[in-house]
């Protein structure tokens, strides 16, 4: 009755005969007899959710999602529509990858473990740090975990966590929740056009500081030019220097290890996922000093009984299922499959492709900023800073009006100030950019 | 068969690097339009072609046991079949939206979220639901933070204890600790349930919450749940429901009706979104009306007039974000599709068959199952055998073993949850594997597995000499 | 350089070092030196085809295909938009199925061979005949092959192949090409509303007749009511009775073996493929008398060296690669992967689902015909015949005008006479049918 | 590991049938709104759930060697990597159109076909192309039918012979015979090419056509092609190009420039559309201007004004249909996408590397390669060994063997075509497998394979006692 299935779960294979035999073996009349639920708390109503055929369900979801407008997104700020090679979907969707559980039985999970090991290796190369875990949820939660790591490993009795004053709300707020159970307090340091105000920062840092967080590129798409100095400040205060970045940026920007970063966090799914309403992949790498304190799962190489190389989850004594309330994090289910996709996407690009993708982000941001700057009513201050992928433009009109008008023309942009728009070129085609520049010229005219 | 690492496949092309890396192969310089002092010098990663990568990942996939490979009876993990069509709907181009889009341009996304919130509320008997938590543990964290905010708001910020039964999931303890709470551990009674006297002793004016799974990890329904709820509420505490075992109850009982104040749902368990080798999942949280103002921001709701049908808003006393944006959106789409496909009847049927399957499988095993009546899962005891060895040996019979050595209340625990997706024939095959192993001696078990791609893997060596990247391997070898 | 690949094949993995080493081993300077092509016939021009990135290529194809109008198709006549369960795409697209070659090495092709064996078994059950091959190209070529089979096995010296006078052009013309190399001649027998005019047919059949072809359902969607009689006519003339049908129809209609069919042909991809501009799957089943004469590949069960059941292509001495000009057909590459999809689709339906799918085709054709018949200006003569999936309706206005007007409203229908439309309900949702009836009511008003 | 048949998986549910089938399991009657005398009574097929089917087909797929499994050097088969993205474009909803749609409503489909015709014409040096033939052999059939129609049209219907070299693909012979022609077989000369004197002898006023592969099945270019063309044309015959080996020549030579009048293209070889376990392929046919009027109907062309850009038309003297509609449309989309992706440079590079790979691989083999200089493929001789046994043994080394025992001009032929998609490392691995087998004795070879899912399969038993369906198995066992 599966083909024309009308009631019951379409994913339960029970035949009438099978069910009867099973009930007999168990010694009950119906499955309902197996439920040991006191009448007072039993549910005898309905949810009121209609069952649908597979086709109807697909139509339902499609019809709901079609209410989303088709817009060319120039939004950026951590989420980019980089083209994902078809290979990634086809291979990552193989059900062995998609449907397997966490690799608690490594002997039948070697393929996933190896892919995660390769993901870790990718991040080790990108960051220059010795350890990368095999994922956190997203950049915000990775930042939170970095702070609790700082709390665990701090040498001082301090409590100050310094973050840039323009840290995006979701990260800041998530961080606050993660440190709510500690003595840490989140404070901000000033920035200018995204970049740290180094002097002000150096003044703020003191021995109470346990962690300094900076981003490169910054949320405004600028390249942070004082990373080494920030790193030194942190080192001087014996605070952790936590750097936020992403795999594409890390392909060309200064290697975190070279500027004194102790931890790198970020959203690694800029490779591997389309823009997915904020779904991400928390990148988390750190120095090997923190080996026993790092949150999240780690895949390590080992040997099997025949002395061949084999992979396994390792150092699990840090984790909640063993260490319970003394675990380094409460994380269990993470973003393994996204990490697989990110590793695949990076592998299809190769180092040449990754560098080129980042470089295109520099060149095209420059180019588009220049074209906008040429328009009456727009000033794209692109020459004072270096940019990757995105930049802020000043518009004479109220920015929200411009953004609304652009949205009507099919383009989504950020309003980041009364007269400031932020614009991102990554993932957008040349044709779309041409159309965008035209649209801006019409709107600001 | 062994598959080389990507870095090993590309022996002649390992490096994109500076000139110095020349001896290792062709070095690719990192040239950039940016000034040199802002850029790195080299990038050493494998450079492989599409056919090579297709073969690499195909081969890796072949070294993984997935739900389409056979039975996967991991207790508390609810390894259901993942309907293929849910992948299709999550892959719709219209689902790919940036998190910072304007509300009016993503009415479809907001509608789907609102409808899923509604579905989950009905299923759990909860008044309000947030979809933001990206996993079960994150859902627990929301619960704990909401409880904290609630108590704080009521001037009861002094409450610093969370009570958790000994047999609970490890995440409960870790989450309470992450939230800054002291954990008060609660022993089980002889029947495997919460010991009411012990609970009485544990409860106090310092109790922030009791975290409970029901059915518990032994598969037993906490029959005293009404009394438990009353006791917790009497001291001003909140009752938290860990949704990991919700697949036992669909359409039969709802946490909200049992007196729970806050709960999470594991959509990657109960609602069949794929586990993905360890995520992404999603851990929506439902609460009773009083707790709604504390839920994470932003939330989705139907708009009251205006030019949009659905809108985002910040609850009055929100705890703020627990994720950068709105959690694992693509996973939530799949959960919505699954629920919409099954409907009332399908969901209730899934639970009924999950419970039948667990009971039938247990009835066929030679291993002892000390606690009953269990629901969707049971915990057998390997007795004199080592449960971990039993699991390794089961691999040799071509099936996936159960969760082992936990909960500790059962010696050498084999925690088994077949779910509703297995037929009698598959359960018989699984039982045969259990029973074959039950007859085998220690030497065989300790050598197991011997029919898998990799043989028994040395965990000690992995931990003592951590090699966490191919760079570490190169240094090492 | 693969990520940013600009020239050369992106699917060739050669490194510079590798290529150099290979050239050295071969003893030439460049690969060009390996070509042994006389200068006079060498090509030193360009094709003028630009290379594109994967993303650009996808955009190109998408933009071209988007020029196809989105229409609700009520066209039928052998091609139906039955909903294909998602499982079919996901499993058939596994690269082991999709990219493997014909199973000439059965030891590493057991999975595909078994799937084809199961496909053959499906057709054996549906037709009641003992042999089904594992595919021809489509129904038209299968009909051609049936005629050449008739030519090979005929007892008489006859040359007449009788087909219905309304046989669709593509089938008729293909048949003509297939028999061009034989002495056979294609003649028609009269039909009424699709069904054979039995009396006329019986008069036409003589000892020169080597084959009679009939369809059930007929091209007009009617059920052929005289199959047994046609079968008897054929048997009397010692001619082959070849019946055209499809897997959905065969789920409920008279079993071909029971009405004397010697061969069944048709398009099996009504299950397994969406409407694909005529791409199909030639169903070919026959009585086991023709075992040595059947065209196409056959999968058989056998045993391996350990006596375990195993599958293999068998009776290959019928085939072109061994028998050359004495082969039973020139077919080599067939439609194996489509056969896999058809078998999968049928398996997801199960017998209950297949019967229900066919029954829905009866009920809904009836229902929609009734609703149209109720409209002023439309006569749907549904009561004189039984219909499956489709039916012919008379419109008072010129049919082409009605069809054009319907197309403007988003519906594609057949014009089969000056005042006749043919309409098919299969694969169309209830909502679409409602909209269609409304559209018709507007157009004929 | 053995996988049961679907019918065996469903032991309790084998039948949808009439009441009599009761003893075999639950019988499902075929009830229908149609009168009983027009319907069947029962339908006996397996009834399985989606999870069971997902596992069945997953398991089956695991017992298949595909191009993503490793090297696949089947001579004359051109087993290229199939780019994944071409599946995506063929799966676009806009590609799913009914064959009877109005021209104006499928301008996209017609445009794609017109552009592919244009591409193929340029690549082959042909004036007109039809895309209708659904496979290579069907393309040959079009060629033969076009030749027949052409001769007929010119009052030369008496021509009843087609000349084919001994070493040609089997389809050439079978196709000529299907077209009603007598086959005149042409021996090779000592160099492995067409013997001009023999050709001279074979040619006559009865010659309809010569069918030729170039490079031929030994991988050798027919250096005398101009002379051959002249000889054939002199007697009024046509020259047919079998496109199976076109991957040797892309951008280096074109059949049209060599004097061929008609040719087919195997898009599932040269243009990387997947082989699908034996199809679907596509065998477009290109012709010189004189033959265009005879091509199959309908054809696609740019419209000359009017309200559509592209239109269908029937050539003046068309042979009519060779397929019910327009062939394997979904395959043609993939071929178009492949060509558009590679462009001039990519296509030429593919051929260059295919030829380099063949030559490099041959240089590493211990087996003798008697004929050269070969291009994209070569035929080695297994010498004293049985070539079929060599192939079976190669399976044990985890690679796919070459085509064997053909062409017969080479004793115990190992016809090998690695294509451009293999790296030096993979070719080295493949060569190592060849060479390992070359060292092995007959006993080992005759027992091979012994490391595969199935061991050597008994062909004789399969043919002597044909069991072609599960129904036959049931009867049999």
């Amino acid at each position: 009755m599966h083909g024309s299935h009308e009631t019951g779960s379409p994913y339960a294979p029970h035949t009438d005969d099978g069910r009867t035999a099973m009930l007999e073996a168990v010694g009950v009349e119906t499955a309902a007899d197996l439920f040991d639920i006191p009448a007072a708390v039993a549910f005898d109503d309905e949810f009121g959710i209609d069952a649908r055929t597979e086709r109807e369900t697909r139509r339902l979801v499609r019809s709901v999602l079609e209410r989303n407008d088709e817009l060319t997104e120039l939004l950026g700020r951590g989420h980019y529509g980089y083209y994902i090679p078809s290979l990634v979907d086809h291979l990552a969707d193989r059900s062995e990858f998609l449907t397997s559980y966490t690799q608690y039985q490594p002997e039948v999970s070697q393929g996933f473990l190896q892919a995660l090991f390769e993901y870790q290796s990718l991040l080790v190369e990108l960051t220059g740090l010795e350890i990368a875990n095999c994922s956190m949820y997203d950049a915000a939660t990775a930042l939170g975990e970095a702070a609790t790591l700082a709390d665990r490993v701090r040498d001082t009795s301090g409590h100050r966590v310094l973050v840039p004053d323009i840290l995006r709300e979701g990260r800041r707020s998530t961080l606050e929740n993660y440190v709510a159970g500690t003595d840490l307090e989140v404070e901000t340091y000033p920035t200018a056009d995204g970049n740290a105000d180094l002097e002000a920062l150096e003044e703020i840092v003191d021995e109470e500081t346990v962690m300094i967080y900076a981003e490169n590129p910054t949320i405004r798409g600028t390249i942070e030019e004082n990373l080494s100095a920030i790193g030194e400040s942190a080192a001087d205060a014996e605070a952790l220097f936590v750097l936020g970045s992403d795999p594409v940026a890390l392909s060309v920007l200064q290697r975190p290890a070279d500027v004194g970063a102790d931890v790198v966090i970020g959203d690694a799914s800029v490779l591997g996922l389309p823009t997915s309403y904020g779904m991400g992949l928390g990148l988390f790498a750190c120095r090997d000093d923190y080996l026993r304190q790092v949150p999240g799962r780690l895949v390590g190489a080992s040997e099997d009984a025949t002395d061949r190389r084999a992979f396994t989850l390792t150092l699990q004594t840090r984790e909640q299922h063993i260490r319970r309330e003394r675990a380094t994090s409460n994380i269990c289910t993470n973003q393994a499959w996204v990490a697989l996709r990110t590793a695949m996407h990076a592998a299809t690009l190769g180092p040449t492709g990754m560098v080129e993708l980042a470089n295109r982000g520099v060149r095209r941001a420059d180019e588009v900023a220049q074209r906008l700057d040429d328009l009456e009513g727009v000033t794209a201050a692109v020459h004072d800073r270096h940019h990757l992928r995105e930049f802020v433009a000043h518009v004479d009109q109220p920015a929200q009006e411009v953004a609304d008008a652009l949205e009507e023309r099919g383009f989504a942009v950020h309003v980041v100030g009364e007269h400031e728009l932020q614009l991102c070129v990554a993932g957008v085609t040349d044709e779309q950019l041409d159309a965008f520049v035209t649209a801006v010229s019409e709107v600001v005219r | 068969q062994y598959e080389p690492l990507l870095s090993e496949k590309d022996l002649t092309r390992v490096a994109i690097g500076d000139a110095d890396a020349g001896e290792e192969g062709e070095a690719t310089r990192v040239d950039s339009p940016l000034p040199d002092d802002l850029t790195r010098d080299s990038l050493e990663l494998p450079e492989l072609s599409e056919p090579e990568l297709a073969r690499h990942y195909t081969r890796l996939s072949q070294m993984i046991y997935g739900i389409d490979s056979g039975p996967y009876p991991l207790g508390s993990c609810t390894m259901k079949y993942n309907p293929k069509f849910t992948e299709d709907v999550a892959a719709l181009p219209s689902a790919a939206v940036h998190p910072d889009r304007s509300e009016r341009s993503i009415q479809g996304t907001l509608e789907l979220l609102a409808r899923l919130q509604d579905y989950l509320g009905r299923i759990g008997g909860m008044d309000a639901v947030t979809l933001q938590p990206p996993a079960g543990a994150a859902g627990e964290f929301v619960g704990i933070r909401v409880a904290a905010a609630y108590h704080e708001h009521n001037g009861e910020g002094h409450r610093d204890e969370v009570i958790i039964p000994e047999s609970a999931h490890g995440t409960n303890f870790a989450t309470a600790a992450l939230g800054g709470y002291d954990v008060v551990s609660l022993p089980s009674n002889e029947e495997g349930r919460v010991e009411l006297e012990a609970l009485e002793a544990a409860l106090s004016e310092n109790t922030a919450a009791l975290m409970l799974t029901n059915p518990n990890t032994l598969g037993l329904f906490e029959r005293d749940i009404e009394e438990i709820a009353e006791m917790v509420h009497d001291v001003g505490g909140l009752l938290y429901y860990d949704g990991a075992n919700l697949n036992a109850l669909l359409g039969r009982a709802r946490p909200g009706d049992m007196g729970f104040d806050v709960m999470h749902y594991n959509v990657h368990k109960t609602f069949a979104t794929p586990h993905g080798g360890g995520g992404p999942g999603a851990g929506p949280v439902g609460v009773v009306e009083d707790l709604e103002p504390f839920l994470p921001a932003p939330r989705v709701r139907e708009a009251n007039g205006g030019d949009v049908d659905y809108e985002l808003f910040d609850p009055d006393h929100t705890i703020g974000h627990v994720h950068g944006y709105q959690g694992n959106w693509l996973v939530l789409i799949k959960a919505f599709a699954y629920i919409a496909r099954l409907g009332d009847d399908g969901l209730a049927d899934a639970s009924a068959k999950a419970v039948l399957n667990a009971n039938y499988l247990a009835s066929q095993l030679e291993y002892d199952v000390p606690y009953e009546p269990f629901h969707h899962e049971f915990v057998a005891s390997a007795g004199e055998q080592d449960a971990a060895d039993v699991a390794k040996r089961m691999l040799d019979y071509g099936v996936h073993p159960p969760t082992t050595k936990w909960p500790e209340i059962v010696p050498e625990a084999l925690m088994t949850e077949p779910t509703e997706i297995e037929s009698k024939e598959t359960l018989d095959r699984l039982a045969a594997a259990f029973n074959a192993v039950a007859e085998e001696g220690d030497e065989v078990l300790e050598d197991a597995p011997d029919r898998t791609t990799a043989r028994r893997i040395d965990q000690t060596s992995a931990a003592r000499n951590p090699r966490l990247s191919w760079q570490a391997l190169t240094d090492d070898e």
Side-chain angles (χ1 to χ4, degrees), chain B residues 24 66 81 107 114 127 170 191 216 222 236 246 283 300 318 328 334 344 357 374 376 381 393 395-396 404 442 459:
Chain B
E24 279 211 312
Y81 173 74
Q107 286 293 299
D127 296 318
E191 292 180 338
N216 64 26
E222 296 287 354
L246 187 62
V300 182
T318 179
N328 283 333
K334 298 179 199 180
D344 281 61
N357 277 5
F374 47 82
H376 69 304
S381 171
R393 183 57 180 160
L395 296 174
D396 282 334
T404 58
D442 284 351
Q459 299 293 340

Side-chain angles (χ1 to χ4, degrees), chain B residues 275-290:
Chain B
H275 282 257
V285 167
V287 294
V288 295
E289 202 175 357
D290 287 354

Side-chain angles (χ1 to χ4, degrees), chain A residues 152-172:
Chain A
R152 287 194 297 279
V153 303
R154 63 178 163 181
D155 293 324
T156 70
S157 61
H159 60 271
R160 301 176 71 202
V161 171
L162 302 183
V163 301
D165 57 4
I166 53 162
L167 183 62
R168 66 208 82 180
E169 171 58 18
R171 278 189 201 181
R172 162 84 191 238

Side-chain angles (χ1 to χ4, degrees), chain B residues 70-131:
Chain B
Y72 218 134
L74 281 170
S76 270
C77 300
T78 316
M79 294 297 288
K80 293 191 184 198
Y81 173 74
N82 308 122
K84 306 295 179 199
F85 86 94
T86 62
E87 298 305 313
D88 302 333
V89 295
L92 287 169
S94 52
V97 294
H98 191 285
D100 293 324
R101 291 261 295 247
S102 68
E103 276 176 18
R104 70 171 166 258
S105 74
I106 51 163
Q107 286 293 299
T109 290
L110 298 181
E111 177 176 344
L112 189 143
L113 293 173
R115 292 175 75 159
L116 178 57
Q117 285 176 181
D118 175 57
Y119 278 173
L120 293 176
R122 294 173 192 225
I123 291 168
M126 289 286 158
D127 296 318
V129 174
T130 174
L131 304 173

